[in-house]
Amino acid sequence: MPRPPAVARVAPPAPLPCMKEGIMDKVIYLDNNATTAVAPEVRDAMEPFLRELYGNPSSIHTFGGRVAHYVEEARERVAHLLGADPSELIFTSCGTESDNAAIRSALATSPERHHIVTTRVEHPAVRNLCQLLATPAPGRAHYRLTELPVDAKGMLDLGEVDRVIDDDTAVVSVMWANNETGVVFPIEEIGALCRKRGVLFHTDAVQVVGKMPINLARMPVDMLSLSGHKLHAPKGIGVLYVRRGTRFSPFIMGGHQEHNRRGGTESVPLVAALGKAAELAEKNMAVEQTRVGALRDRLEKGLLAGAPSAMVNGDREHRLPNTTNISFEFVEGEAILLMLDQFGICASSGSACTSGSLEPSHVMRAMGVPFTAAHGSIRFSLSVYNTEEEIDRVIEVLPPIIRRLREISPFGREKLAAAK
Ligand SMILES: *Cc1c(COP(=O)(O)O)cnc(C)c1O
């Protein structure tokens, strides 16, 4: 018999320079609301499932069954972090999928209702879906959409939530904390209102899980979304919580996985990673609330004192401990980020210059932040891995950058001239 041709030998790719030199060690990473580093413990927890424990958790044989045990163990850990029952959790591929699954399920299980309530400051995972659902198109139902406004501090008016809910409302979807400003919404009160009015309530809690204690057993929340890569697990894993007794219609149809609620073989390595990340988050909760909060306050204080006309966007009282959004008036956010990047400092801006437009973010617009300030808004989001030295470095480096940018910006020059 002729032997099959040998597989061509291809040289493996060279390691990335940053891996080889370890230069990424020097990065000051203050962009944790975008994504977080995978915790070393989490990486270790995944490892067995990338090596010997590769079975399919749905298999009949013991080899697969063993893996199913670890999936359930991870589910219990995440449930513990949330104060939920493990049976209420569905593993998904990301926060975006969880948001889509929740809203689509609410609509599918209340076919007689055609009104969606959300806010103007949601993450695109909710906002773009709701706006699509509200767009008339042939062959598909479309919905009435109410996007609740926020005030200058990014806060919602509870009375307004109550006013907009009507007999036609199928679902209210309000984020627990805003990714750009860190502003925390009164989810318990909103949930109570929804319950009183008999409307399903979903919250996008992607930014809250791991940063603030959550006890879903005592919260009037029907569905909740979270994402692994925002709490030191890798990208590609999320959870949708669906309160027991809540009708649910699957978003992804397929096999019987996740009790028929989400088709597709569970990503066991990522599920195990999320389980470990949930356990770590519980352990680090106190650190998040105290040390991370203190570092954030130190950064904020240093920048407000050091940089001309810096101001904080969003309510400073009802806010995540790790986030600050600061506007540097008359300077462009992108320019600030590029200069920070030269010092290895990672943050992000509130304007969406990447899309080619110079529009400030929808969150800054909803809050009515003046154009000149919205353009210079920078989000710093910390994690338990940040140090005081890193924060002090930013306080040292950033104010001179702002002063320089203001001198060369046409806005800044006018402003300086006017001040003279
Ligand atoms: C990051 C984020 C998401 C999306 O999560 P992915 O896992 O990246 O899809 C949704 N909502 C909020 C508030 C987020 O910060």
Side-chain angles (χ1 to χ4, degrees), residues 77-85 88-89 175-177 184-185 187-188 203-227 231 239 241 243 278 281-282 285-286 289 320:
R77 285 173 173 177
V78 180
H80 197 265
L81 176 68
L82 300 177
D85 190 86
E88 296 174 311
L89 305 190
M175 69 198 324
W176 200 321
V184 174
F185 285 147
I187 289 307
E188 189 162 3
T203 184
D204 174 339
V206 170
Q207 289 297 342
V208 169
V209 176
K211 294 174 189 153
M212 283 167 42
I214 292 181
N215 187 358
L216 285 171
R218 294 212 260 114
M219 290 288 284
V221 167
D222 299 311
M223 290 186 274
L224 172 144
S225 303
L226 70 86
S227 171
L231 66 142
V239 162
Y241 157 89
R243 178 176 294 278
E282 224 172 300
M285 190 71 72
Q289 300 265 302
L320 293 172

Side-chain angles (χ1 to χ4, degrees), residues 33-34 93-97 99 123-126 175 177-179 204-207 226-230 236-238 379:
N33 287 9
S93 69
C94 58
T96 301
E97 185 192 321
D99 285 339
H123 187 274
V126 167
M175 69 198 324
N178 186 271
N179 45 301
D204 174 339
V206 170
Q207 289 297 342
L226 70 86
S227 171
H229 75 100
K230 306 285 174 87
I237 180 83
R379 174 188 72 188

Side-chain angles (χ1 to χ4, degrees), residues 67-312:
V67 171
H69 161 80
Y70 291 105
V71 169
E72 293 321 306
E73 189 180 85
R75 201 187 306 276
E76 277 164 30
R77 285 173 173 177
V78 180
H80 197 265
L81 176 68
L82 300 177
D85 190 86
S87 67
E88 296 174 311
L89 305 190
I90 304 170
F91 288 114
T92 65
S93 69
C94 58
T96 301
E97 185 192 321
S98 299
D99 285 339
N100 276 255
I103 291 167
R104 296 249 187 212
S105 168
L107 298 176
T109 56
S110 326
E112 67 293 348
R113 299 182 178 212
H114 290 90
H115 180 217
I116 303 170
V117 175
T118 182
T119 77
R120 287 197 192 154
V121 295
E122 295 299 307
H123 187 274
V126 167
R127 191 165 172 259
N128 288 345
L129 170 66
C130 291
Q131 290 182 355
L132 173 77
L133 290 165
T135 309
R140 130 166 100 68
H142 76 271
Y143 297 83
R144 194 155 52 86
L145 176 63
T146 303
E147 289 184 327
L148 294 161
V150 294
D151 65 15
K153 290 185 154 190
M155 293 295 282
L156 278 176
D157 175 359
L158 270 178
E160 190 67 18
V161 182
D162 198 28
R163 267 192 297 283
V164 300
I165 295 175
D166 58 31
D167 294 342
D168 195 33
T169 308
V171 61
V172 174
S173 182
V174 173
M175 69 198 324
W176 200 321
N178 186 271
N179 45 301
E180 288 190 29
T181 58
V183 167
V184 174
F185 285 147
I187 289 307
E188 189 162 3
E189 285 82 351
I190 298 170
L193 267 175
C194 293
R195 188 158 285 182
K196 199 178 79 194
R197 305 287 298 271
V199 175
L200 279 174
F201 179 51
H202 164 252
T203 184
D204 174 339
V206 170
Q207 289 297 342
V208 169
V209 176
K211 294 174 189 153
M212 283 167 42
I214 292 181
N215 187 358
L216 285 171
R218 294 212 260 114
M219 290 288 284
V221 167
D222 299 311
M223 290 186 274
L224 172 144
S225 303
L226 70 86
S227 171
H229 75 100
K230 306 285 174 87
L231 66 142
H232 303 292
K235 294 146 193 72
I237 180 83
V239 162
L240 176 63
Y241 157 89
V242 181
R243 178 176 294 278
R244 201 181 315 171
T246 305
R247 281 176 299 161
F248 185 74
S249 167
F251 181 53
I252 294 186
M253 287 301 297
H256 297 301
Q257 294 90 354
E258 301 297 287
H259 292 281
N260 296 315
R261 292 174 301 181
R262 202 273 189 186
T265 302
E266 290 90 348
S267 173
V268 183
L270 294 178
V271 165
L274 184 57
K276 184 47 111 181
E279 191 183 282
L280 279 178
E282 224 172 300
K283 216 170 71 188
N284 286 334
M285 190 71 72
V287 180
E288 188 80 51
Q289 300 265 302
T290 55
R291 199 177 137 266
V292 175
L295 286 178
R296 188 273 313 270
D297 292 345
R298 184 184 181 89
L299 175 67
E300 205 167 75
K301 220 171 126 199
L303 293 181
L304 290 181
S309 67
M311 55 192 180
V312 174

